[in-house]
């Protein structure tokens, strides 16, 4: 049988811009080559921190619910919302707890730290090893294609509107070369005190 | 019992000899194997313009995690007068198993040369493309383990590019990436050469939007895209790097350029 990471398909990407970050995902949910749904978003928000999850769909749902619980508990105990850096460490330790029976997900964290005002993105493997990146993070079945488009299109210090165009083109063109991803996309542009969410139609085939 | 009379005092009663009984039984069943192919990595890329065609390839040759060579060309001139390729009008890139690449390049080169001797005229790119497909299919059950891209100028002097699978299925295209980093380069090319997912600003909303039409790019622009594609692939793929070799076919002949890539 196929790898658990590529049964359902899906793609996610995060990028850093000038005082902003972007995170985007496709909407496909499939079972091998059969598409089951074209409305399965893979980005979840926890206050002002965003988490993208690709991989096995059942684990995407389980892990997103688990972090909703954990982040709510954090907010009640600490009486403040969680920072992206803290979220990254929470994701890392939570995944490593399942070291010998992991969730089959490749998470991506994106957000702006409200104390420092600095953009933050990072990615993880399925057992919680953090990849801190200054430019972009990719995950999912279209990760090879995303590496190519991001490496070719991204440049430092993009303004929010340009970052939106860059991340959208990177995702759309990548998923069009992956049979397991696509069918529309969600794009979040996160600024200091504004978040813009856009739905992209993309190719429907 | 006989064994007790001649037994070595150091050995146990059931073992008569100083070597273990398994040594004298027929040897264990062993599976021998020979795999005739190696993946030598690397990537190639071809783009056509109005009056030119560019074929590019990195010059790294690998096997596994080892680098065998930092300068092993995988773009070749076809139809030249001598071994330098002088006077060639067709270019060919072969990525995959390097030994098969060299062999196939030599074979096609010979065919194109013989064609000129027998017919007294240069082989067209269209004819050469069909011939290459036939050669690849003739080894349908022991294939040349390569992804080929053939380029030149067609009968009208326009850039022509043909891409192949290892057994000869082929198609004429505007651009194509092949090899290890094809999955990284191809979506970038879709976007920057064929303007995929790009629309004309202010041309309408939703389904009324007009897609940006692809048109042949000028040579400077194409060379810039090829360099961008390879520096990007070098950054993220371990089998790509060292050097970028480009063969540019124009009405004047074949030009060659070399551009160093990261060697890490």
């Amino acid at each position: 049988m196929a790898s658990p990471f590529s049964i359902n398909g899906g793609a996610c990407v995060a990028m850093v811009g000038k005082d902003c970050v972007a995170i985007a995902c496709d909407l496909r949910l499939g079972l091998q080559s059969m598409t089951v749904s074209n409305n399965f978003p893979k980005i979840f928000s926890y206050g002002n921190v965003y988490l993208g999850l690709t991989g096995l769909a059942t684990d995407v749902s389980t892990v997103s619910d688990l972090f909703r619980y954990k982040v709510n508990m954090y907010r009640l105990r600490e009486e403040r919302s969680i920072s992206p850096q803290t979220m990254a460490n929470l994701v890392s330790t939570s995944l490593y707890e399942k070291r010998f029976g992991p969730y089959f997900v490749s998470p991506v964290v994106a957000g702006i730290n409200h104390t420092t005002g600095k953009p933050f993105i990072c990615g993880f493997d399925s057992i919680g090893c953090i990849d801190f990146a200054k430019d972009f993070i990719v995950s999912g079945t279209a990760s090879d294609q995303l590496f190519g488009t991001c490496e070719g299109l991204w440049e430092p210090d993009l303004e929010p509107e340009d970052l939106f165009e860059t991340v959208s083109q990177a995702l759309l063109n990548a998923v069009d070369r992956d049979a397991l991803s696509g069918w529309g996309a969600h794009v979040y542009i996160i600024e200091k005190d504004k978040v813009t969410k856009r739905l992209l139609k993309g190719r429907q085939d | 019992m006989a064994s007790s009379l001649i037994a070595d005092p150091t050995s146990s009663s059931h073992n008569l000899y100083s070597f273990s009984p398994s040594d004298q039984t027929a040897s264990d069943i062993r599976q021998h194997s020979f795999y005739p192919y190696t993946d030598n990595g690397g990537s190639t890329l071809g783009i056509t313009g109005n009056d030119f065609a560019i074929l590019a390839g990195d010059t790294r040759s690998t096997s596994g995690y080892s680098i065998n060579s930092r300068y092993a060309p995988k773009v070749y001139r076809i139809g030249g007068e001598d071994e330098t390729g002088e006077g060639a009008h067709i270019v060919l890139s072969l990525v995959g198993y390097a030994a098969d690449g060299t062999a196939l390049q030599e074979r096609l080169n010979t065919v194109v040369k013989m064609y000129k001797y027998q017919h007294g005229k240069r082989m067209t790119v269209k004819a050469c493309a069909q011939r290459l497909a036939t050669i690849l299919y003739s080894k349908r059950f022991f294939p040349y383990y390569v992804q080929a891209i053939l380029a030149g100028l067609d009968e009208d002097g326009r850039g022509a590019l043909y891409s192949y699978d290892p057994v000869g299925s082929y198609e004429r295209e505007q651009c194509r990436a092949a090899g290890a980093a094809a999955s990284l380069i191809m979506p970038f090319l879709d976007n920057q050469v064929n303007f995929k997912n790009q629309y004309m600003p202010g041309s309408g909303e939703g389904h009324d939007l007009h897609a940006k039409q692809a048109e042949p790019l000028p040579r400077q622009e194409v060379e810039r895209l090829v360099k961008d594609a390879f520096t990007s692939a070098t950054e993220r793929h371990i089998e790509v790097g060292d050097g970028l070799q480009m063969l540019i076919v124009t009405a004047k002949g074949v030009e060659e350029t070399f551009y160093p890539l990261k060697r890490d």
Side-chain angles (χ1 to χ4, degrees):
Chain A
M1 208 172 105
S3 150
F5 288 101
S6 56
I7 293 172
N8 306 116
C12 181
V13 56
M15 275 182 185
V16 174
K18 194 176 188 333
D19 304 320
C20 57
V21 286
I23 183 165
C25 68
D26 74 329
L27 296 180
R28 183 180 180 271
L29 174 98
L31 271 172
Q32 315 255 55
S33 59
M34 177 175 67
T35 300
V36 176
S37 165
N38 44 234
N39 188 22
F40 188 82
K42 292 154 192 77
I43 295 173
F44 307 90
S45 74
Y46 304 97
N48 44 39
V49 181
Y50 289 78
L51 176 68
L53 291 166
T54 62
L56 193 69
T58 181
D59 286 352
V60 169
S61 304
T62 306
V63 170
S64 67
D65 288 352
L66 178 70
F67 284 118
R68 187 177 60 191
Y69 165 73
K70 288 198 173 191
V71 172
N72 282 343
M73 291 305 287
Y74 178 95
R75 193 158 50 248
L76 289 166
R77 258 204 291 265
E78 301 275 328
E79 296 184 344
R80 62 195 169 105
S81 58
I82 197 166
S83 74
Q85 281 84 354
T86 312
M87 182 67 184
N89 287 301
L90 178 65
V91 171
S92 179
T93 51
S94 302
L95 289 177
Y96 197 78
E97 278 181 12
K98 296 273 180 286
R99 172 63 179 78
F100 298 110
Y103 293 116
F104 298 107
V105 290
S106 312
V108 175
V109 163
I112 290 177
N113 186 310
H114 272 249
T115 350
T116 66
K118 289 218 172 77
F120 177 87
I121 57 162
C122 70
F124 310 81
D125 65 8
S126 59
I127 51 171
C129 177
I130 311 180
D131 173 6
F132 296 106
K134 293 191 185 80
D135 44 11
F136 50 82
I137 289 287
V138 303
S139 88
T141 51
S143 62
D144 279 12
Q145 287 87 339
L146 279 166
F147 270 127
T149 55
C150 291
E151 197 66 59
L153 300 176
W154 184 87
E155 50 189 273
D157 298 323
L158 288 163
E159 297 295 331
E161 309 84 68
D162 298 331
L163 186 68
F164 164 70
E165 195 61 32
T166 308
V167 75
S168 302
Q169 291 292 332
L171 182 72
L172 253 25
N173 289 286
V175 299
D176 286 351
R177 282 282 173 184
D178 178 26
L180 301 181
S181 309
W183 288 63
H186 279 179
V187 183
Y188 293 79
I189 303 295
I190 304 151
E191 292 166 74
K192 189 84 192 291
D193 39 31
K194 185 171 79 170
V195 178
T196 318
K197 178 187 177 185
R198 293 186 178 92
L199 191 150
L200 302 180
K201 201 97 177 101
R203 281 179 74 105
Q204 299 290 316
D205 61 359
Chain B
M1 254 169 97
S3 63
S4 61
L5 298 171
I6 55 165
D8 180 338
T10 60
S11 70
S12 58
S13 60
H14 63 270
N15 190 3
L16 275 166
Y17 306 101
S18 62
F19 47 87
S20 66
S22 70
D23 288 354
Q24 47 183 320
T25 59
S27 66
D28 294 337
I29 297 166
R30 272 187 295 177
Q31 188 180 83
H32 295 261
S33 69
F34 168 64
Y35 189 69
Y37 297 118
T38 312
D39 181 2
N40 294 112
S43 246
T44 57
L45 155 60
I47 302 176
T48 61
N50 238 332
D51 54 357
F52 67 91
I54 291 185
L55 258 195
D58 69 318
T59 61
R60 177 174 289 184
S61 180
T62 64
S63 52
Y65 293 134
S66 307
I67 295 170
N68 290 330
S69 172
R70 296 195 191 278
Y71 187 75
K74 30 188 163 280
V75 283
Y76 307 98
R77 284 164 233 256
I78 298 294
E81 282 142 30
D82 52 21
E83 56 282 342
T84 65
E86 189 71 30
H89 64 295
I90 296 171
V91 286
L92 172 69
S93 71
L94 295 163
V95 65
Y97 181 35
D100 276 358
T102 316
L104 179 58
Q105 168 267 136
E106 279 179 24
R107 193 166 159 191
L108 188 71
N109 193 227
T110 310
V111 164
V112 174
K113 236 183 234 181
M114 290 307 292
Y115 180 99
K116 195 180 173 189
Y117 296 151
Q118 288 177 342
H119 296 90
K121 62 178 183 189
R122 287 197 328 191
M123 198 176 196
T124 60
V125 184
K126 195 179 180 181
C128 188
Q130 177 57 50
R131 189 68 182 86
L132 179 55
T134 314
I135 291 170
L136 288 166
Y137 195 79
S138 72
K139 280 177 64 64
R140 171 63 177 78
F141 298 108
F142 182 27
Y144 286 118
Y145 212 78
V146 289
Q147 273 189 279
I149 302 173
L150 188 81
L153 299 178
D154 66 10
E155 289 97 325
D156 305 323
R158 294 179 184 282
L161 184 138
Y162 296 86
S163 64
Y164 298 79
D165 79 351
V167 286
S169 172
Y170 78 114
E171 178 184 21
R172 185 174 171 176
E173 291 180 295
Q174 294 300 315
C175 73
R176 169 61 65 183
S183 55
L184 284 77
I185 298 173
M186 209 53 217
F188 176 68
L189 258 35
D190 289 340
N191 189 222
Q192 298 294 310
V193 177
N194 292 321
F195 303 141
K196 288 286 161 65
N197 289 110
Q198 288 196 258
Y199 295 90
M200 298 309 292
S203 61
E205 297 221 330
H207 290 289
D208 295 335
L209 268 172
H210 288 292
K212 189 176 174 188
Q213 287 308 121
E215 52 189 78
L217 297 168
R219 185 174 151 182
Q220 292 265 308
E221 179 72 6
V222 172
E223 283 186 42
R224 196 182 61 83
L225 284 175
V226 170
K227 280 181 190 172
D228 269 11
F230 272 92
T231 44
S232 297
T234 301
E235 206 64 46
R236 296 289 176 171
H237 200 112
I238 56 167
E239 292 177 353
V240 180
D242 294 326
L244 170 61
Q245 199 182 17
M246 269 195 265
L247 291 185
I248 304 137
V249 196
T250 60
K252 287 182 202 152
V254 181
E255 282 173 56
E256 179 169 348
T257 65
F258 184 82
Y259 172 78
L261 292 172
K262 282 170 76 173
R263 290 154 67 89
D264 59 0

